[in-house]
Amino acid sequence: MRVRTAVLLPVATVGAIMATTTPATAADTTTTFTVTGTTGLTITASATASLSSAAPGGVASGQLGTVTVSDQRSQLGTTWTATVSLSSAFKTGGGTAAETVSGSDVTYSPGSATAETNPSHTAGSAGTLASARTAFSRASGDGANSVSWNPAVTVNVPASNVSGTYTGTITHSVA
């Protein structure tokens, strides 16, 4: 038994030395690749939306459909703000005062994100479209990101308005 132990110990020592010895030669390959930005910063929205009907003095409401901001700039500090505005007041007929609904009577609510990559994104607060307002934003973060939401719109139809089909333009933009 002592003979076996004496033989095994030197073999184990040689094996340990061989395992920790650096190879006689080595070759390094410096390897590179490029991460490219693809489409930059874009926003998309449904081309049309229909709200519920309302009588004068009533409320028309509905969803606008999915709005998506896609930031593929792939940079450090990819921040942006998406804004919404009523770029064309709701009008019917000749667009007289009794045939127009202005932004002060239109409330926009972005709601929550319905899809999101590389968060975090922040919804703006609900409010009138008397002036442009924040719909969604990204205050900090790196790399590509995107967010989608389905905003709700409520129109308080003035009691002095006439009947008709009112059409206006709600514009989303991002910078």
Side-chain angles (χ1 to χ4, degrees):
M1 290 263 199
R2 287 183 185 223
V3 173
R4 285 187 195 176
T5 304
V7 171
L8 288 177
L9 183 58
V11 171
T13 303
V14 170
I17 291 171
M18 289 177 68
T20 59
T21 303
T22 309
T25 64
D28 294 336
T29 302
T30 301
T31 307
T32 62
F33 67 95
T34 303
V35 175
T36 59
T38 54
T39 59
L41 180 62
T42 61
I43 190 165
T44 58
S46 298
T48 61
S50 295
L51 305 179
S52 65
S53 296
V59 176
S61 62
Q63 304 289 133
L64 290 184
T66 301
V67 178
T68 301
V69 170
S70 179
D71 184 355
Q72 300 301 308
R73 296 174 293 175
S74 304
Q75 299 173 349
L76 294 174
T78 51
T79 62
W80 49 261
T81 300
T83 57
V84 60
S85 62
L86 183 64
S87 56
S88 174
F90 287 97
K91 294 180 181 182
T92 192
T96 66
E99 298 170 307
T100 301
V101 178
S102 69
S104 60
D105 290 313
V106 180
T107 300
Y108 177 94
S109 176
S112 301
T114 58
E116 196 172 20
T117 58
N118 193 10
S120 77
H121 304 92
T122 304
S125 58
T128 70
L129 294 181
S131 61
R133 61 182 315 101
T134 298
F136 254 85
S137 63
R138 178 176 169 100
S140 65
D142 301 324
N145 65 91
S146 66
V147 64
S148 297
W149 67 97
N150 187 2
V153 172
T154 303
V155 179
N156 294 315
V157 180
S160 59
N161 276 62
V162 299
S163 62
T165 300
Y166 286 73
T167 303
T169 305
I170 296 175
T171 301
H172 289 90
S173 58
V174 65

